[in-house]
Amino acid sequence: MNRTENTDKNKQTRLMERDPRTAWWTQGRFGMFIHWGLYAVPAQGEWFMYASRTRVREYEKLGEQFNPTEFNAQAWVALAKEAGMRYIVITAKHHDGFAMYRSKADAFNIADATPFGRDPLKELAEACEEAGVVLCFYYSHVIDWHHPHALHKEHNNTWDYKLEEKRFPEYWEGKAKPQIKELLTEYGRVGLLWFDTAGGLSEEDSKDIVRHVQSLQPDCLINSRVSHYMGMGDFVSKGDNEIGMSGEDARPWETPMTLNQSWGYTTKDQVWKTADTLIRKLVNVIGKGGNLLLNVGPTPQGTIPELSAERLREVGEWTRRNAEAVYGTDGSPFPFEPEWGAITTKPGRVYLHIHNDTWTVRSLRLTGIRNRVLRAYALADASQTNLSCEQFYDEPLDLHMLQIQLPSQPTDQYVSVIALELEGENDFDRTLTQLPDGVFQLEVPYAQVRLVREPDAAAGTAPFRSAEWNFKLVKPGTYELLLVSFKRHDQDWEGLYPEPIVLESEGQAIAKEPGEDKADLDSPSCQHPYTAVVSRLGTFTWKDTGIKTLILGSSRLKDPSPQFTEIWHADPVKLRAIRLVRLED
């Protein structure tokens, strides 16, 4: 067994041994995020108070205008179910400090500070229980611009309050913990508490809030943003709109994603994702073993904008037809991201999620399935017509290959799912193996990353690391090597890579400064605020098949074991992968 397969087996073992408390969540795969609060009134997003430096007394006056009489909890829950979402996470309190429920701990809440006078979270809890949807709460536990003693690492209300006069325990014990107690004792079962932006919170206070939650509802899950210390919480919340790399997370994880580019209601942002894009991103996330938490921002009147609802209904049409390949599935067992789509699995089943615009050949070849395939069919085909498939075994390469004859046309909208029924217990070759068709991408998490050179503050140089991949080459020949990076939207390319990228394999070497050669606008794993960029580095030739080693060196490679979580959009550029494209003979 080579190191790549052994590492992946260890990862799979850790996943199987995870806390069974997360089972309902990982099986659900798809949830609705709702950002709704007083900030809906000015319609400029949930950071309006901070961005505009609105004083507390002026911001409180927005409550006089907030009267969401069109709010209908049953309609919201029905829309979530129609979209195929199994749970709802709603902002009980965002950074502005305004509670969206009747809070005895603080009068700055929707029941006491607005003409509405009702408790929408109570109504939502009743609607969710009736519909079988799990209700969860978002709670901003560190940032609170309304409270004089809330203290964050950087995002504080400094226009009303003086930092040196803040007494954090007064906020922590007097508002945050009492409100969390209200949410966990007055609204029935709460599936999870979604904390956010813990910058500056001590490790002891982080553990304190975890103990507080567990003492009130032991089965309530907690996300990783409860703390900026690594390993906290029951599951990993990636950065806003961040889709992780294949193999990146050993713990259960999710991507919180916007439908446009904003979380709270705004009239300015009209950059909406299409249903095609949303479904591709959904299968990309679940194919890597993650959950998708997709956001809506309701209006001040209490309705979900019709364009958001329309998108969710379109996604729901697809999830209903393909539910078997979405819910209760595991991510791909293979350490690669197929160019044509994504893979999910269940015991005795493999599901191939094929993007319709890649439906250019009549057959698809896949390596790594050791089981005998009993039959293959399109999931959207009600008659489940058998598709022709053949299996081969290359003994010198220890290579199991499957070839499936696809229908002449895609079988569903946007993404077509082919189901494979397997004989016996799932048995997969998890070696990092080149796919026989298309490009082959080596993701950083599947490399062994080492520190080569310490940083030099005097010289202004960053730590230089190497990433080493061991992979099985199926087709010998000459390959173009492409660097895949994510560039933040507000950055110029020049200077993002301060030194050349170094590549080595079998006596061949390349040292080249990467250029901004091509934007990959169709990348299913990249979105605002980043754009995928492909840089041409050169070519390597491998004359025979078998296990190959490729080493990449760059100061943009990250520490594989950081102490603290990182803000997703902090980096101007992210090194993601090396892509190998075989040149025709």
Side-chain angles (χ1 to χ4, degrees):
M1 181 186 299
N2 68 46
R3 184 170 60 207
T4 302
E5 182 170 1
N6 186 55
T7 299
D8 195 63
K9 280 187 178 294
N10 290 338
K11 175 195 166 191
Q12 293 295 324
T13 299
R14 291 197 302 273
L15 285 173
M16 289 188 289
E17 292 175 349
R18 66 187 176 218
D19 190 340
R21 294 163 60 252
T22 63
W24 71 265
W25 182 79
T26 54
Q27 290 171 5
R29 286 299 178 217
F30 192 23
M32 175 184 277
F33 213 176
I34 303 174
H35 275 67
W36 193 39
L38 204 54
Y39 43 80
V41 175
Q44 295 181 44
E46 72 287 352
W47 280 69
F48 168 75
M49 183 181 182
Y50 185 84
S52 63
R53 299 298 193 266
T54 302
R55 301 187 74 87
V56 163
R57 289 189 178 181
E58 291 300 314
Y59 195 78
E60 288 175 342
K61 292 178 182 178
L62 293 175
E64 301 170 7
Q65 306 171 49
F66 193 35
N67 191 20
T69 56
E70 296 179 38
F71 169 70
N72 184 318
Q74 288 80 9
W76 285 19
V77 174
L79 178 62
K81 289 195 72 171
E82 191 175 359
M85 295 160 158
R86 299 294 176 89
Y87 57 100
I88 291 174
V89 182
I90 185 169
T91 49
K93 188 200 80 168
H94 206 270
H95 304 330
D96 61 353
F98 184 74
M100 289 297 291
Y101 68 98
R102 190 184 304 277
S103 173
K104 299 181 184 68
D106 192 285
F108 190 47
N109 68 76
I110 190 170
D112 296 324
T114 77
F116 188 57
R118 288 157 49 190
D119 185 337
L121 298 195
K122 183 73 71 175
E123 297 173 26
L124 201 58
E126 294 169 357
C128 282
E129 184 177 12
E130 183 178 344
V133 173
V134 181
L135 180 63
C136 314
F137 294 131
Y138 169 113
Y139 188 85
S140 176
H141 62 315
V142 179
I143 297 179
D144 189 316
W145 301 316
H146 185 264
H147 198 283
H149 299 298
L151 183 62
H152 184 258
K153 183 179 180 181
E154 53 185 325
H155 299 300
N156 297 291
N157 180 344
T158 56
W159 53 96
D160 284 296
Y161 311 119
K162 296 180 180 179
L163 287 177
E164 62 272 17
E165 295 179 357
K166 286 181 175 289
R167 297 183 297 276
F168 181 71
E170 292 192 23
Y171 161 73
W172 193 244
E173 300 294 339
K175 181 176 181 179
K177 289 172 69 176
Q179 286 194 329
I180 289 170
K181 182 177 181 180
E182 291 173 338
L183 293 170
L184 293 178
T185 56
E186 299 178 18
Y187 295 87
R189 176 204 172 189
V190 177
L192 65 89
L193 276 183
W194 210 98
F195 293 108
D196 197 14
T197 316
L201 191 68
S202 70
E203 187 172 11
E204 181 51 42
D205 283 336
S206 302
K207 293 177 179 178
D208 177 44
I209 208 71
V210 170
R211 288 192 297 266
H212 184 56
V213 172
Q214 292 175 342
S215 71
L216 297 166
Q217 284 203 33
D219 291 329
C220 179
L221 303 182
I222 299 170
N223 71 328
S224 60
R225 293 196 191 185
V226 69
S227 177
H228 58 279
Y229 288 88
M230 296 296 292
M232 297 284 283
D234 298 293
F235 63 93
V236 175
S237 290
K238 308 297 286 186
D240 295 355
N241 285 304
E242 175 190 7
I243 296 179
M245 290 181 279
S246 178
E248 189 170 36
D249 292 286
R251 291 201 292 161
W253 63 274
E254 70 174 358
T255 289
M257 184 186 296
T258 54
L259 270 168
N260 48 1
Q261 295 180 356
S262 305
W263 299 96
Y265 177 70
T266 174
T267 54
K268 294 183 178 180
D269 179 6
Q270 298 300 318
V271 183
W272 297 90
K273 296 179 179 70
T274 65
D276 186 7
T277 296
L278 290 170
I279 292 168
R280 285 177 182 233
K281 292 184 185 299
L282 172 62
V283 302
N284 186 272
V285 169
I286 65 175
K288 294 172 181 174
N291 282 27
L292 180 63
L293 185 60
L294 187 60
N295 183 74
V296 295
T299 67
Q301 292 75 36
T303 61
I304 293 175
E306 183 52 38
L307 189 53
S308 296
E310 179 184 314
R311 290 287 188 273
L312 295 184
R313 294 187 192 103
E314 289 177 308
V315 172
E317 291 176 5
W318 185 90
T319 58
R320 279 192 296 278
R321 287 190 297 272
N322 298 283
E324 179 186 327
V326 175
Y327 308 109
T329 59
D330 291 318
S332 173
F334 308 118
F336 54 76
E337 187 175 340
E339 184 185 21
W340 41 259
I343 300 171
T344 57
T345 68
K346 282 181 178 177
R349 297 285 190 278
V350 173
Y351 304 99
L352 311 179
H353 303 250
I354 306 172
H355 299 163
N356 284 358
D357 63 3
T358 66
W359 207 281
T360 56
V361 294
R362 287 297 305 277
S363 66
L364 184 146
R365 291 189 290 177
L366 182 68
T367 60
I369 299 178
R370 294 185 176 124
N371 304 78
R372 186 167 75 91
V373 177
L374 300 176
R375 69 187 189 112
Y377 55 92
L379 207 56
D381 177 9
S383 64
Q384 295 190 357
T385 302
N386 287 343
L387 301 176
S388 174
C389 60
E390 295 181 86
Q391 290 181 270
F392 310 92
Y393 178 64
D394 184 324
E395 187 170 359
L397 270 177
D398 187 22
L399 183 69
H400 296 262
M401 188 177 298
L402 169 70
Q403 181 165 304
I404 307 165
Q405 295 299 315
L406 299 177
S408 59
Q409 298 293 328
T411 58
D412 206 338
Q413 279 189 303
Y414 314 125
V415 174
S416 300
V417 181
I418 303 298
L420 308 178
E421 292 185 4
L422 309 183
E423 182 179 67
E425 185 178 345
N426 291 1
D427 185 11
F428 303 123
D429 181 356
R430 302 176 189 274
T431 307
L432 183 54
T433 302
Q434 175 195 15
L435 286 173
D437 299 316
V439 302
F440 181 40
Q441 189 154 298
L442 302 174
E443 305 277 349
V444 169
Y446 288 114
Q448 188 75 29
V449 178
R450 299 183 179 88
L451 181 65
V452 176
R453 185 189 69 209
E454 296 282 356
D456 187 334
T461 58
F464 191 88
R465 295 184 174 89
S466 68
E468 179 180 319
W469 291 273
N470 293 290
F471 63 94
K472 185 182 295 184
L473 189 74
V474 175
K475 283 188 174 182
T478 299
Y479 286 79
E480 183 173 20
L481 307 179
L482 307 172
L483 179 71
V484 180
S485 308
F486 287 3
K487 186 191 77 165
R488 207 171 67 198
H489 72 101
D490 57 355
Q491 296 292 309
D492 293 325
W493 182 261
E494 187 175 355
L496 292 183
Y497 281 92
E499 53 201 354
I501 294 290
V502 177
L503 291 169
E504 300 175 13
S505 182
E506 295 188 348
Q508 305 171 90
I510 294 172
K512 185 176 180 180
E513 293 185 8
E516 191 175 11
D517 296 324
K518 180 184 176 183
D520 185 0
L521 300 178
D522 294 326
S523 170
S525 58
C526 185
Q527 55 196 334
H528 181 81
Y530 286 93
T531 301
V533 173
V534 177
S535 307
R536 296 186 178 91
L537 299 180
T539 61
F540 277 171
T541 298
W542 289 285
K543 296 181 180 179
D544 54 8
T545 59
I547 300 297
K548 306 296 177 184
T549 298
L550 179 67
I551 301 174
L552 177 148
S554 174
S555 59
R556 284 298 182 188
L557 286 167
K558 291 299 193 77
D559 181 355
S561 302
Q563 181 181 0
F564 301 103
T565 56
E566 297 179 343
I567 299 174
W568 163 242
H569 57 268
D571 293 330
V573 69
K574 297 177 182 290
L575 195 163
R576 301 281 289 190
I578 286 291
R579 187 177 295 171
L580 278 59
V581 180
R582 189 173 184 273
L583 302 178
E584 295 299 326
D585 298 329

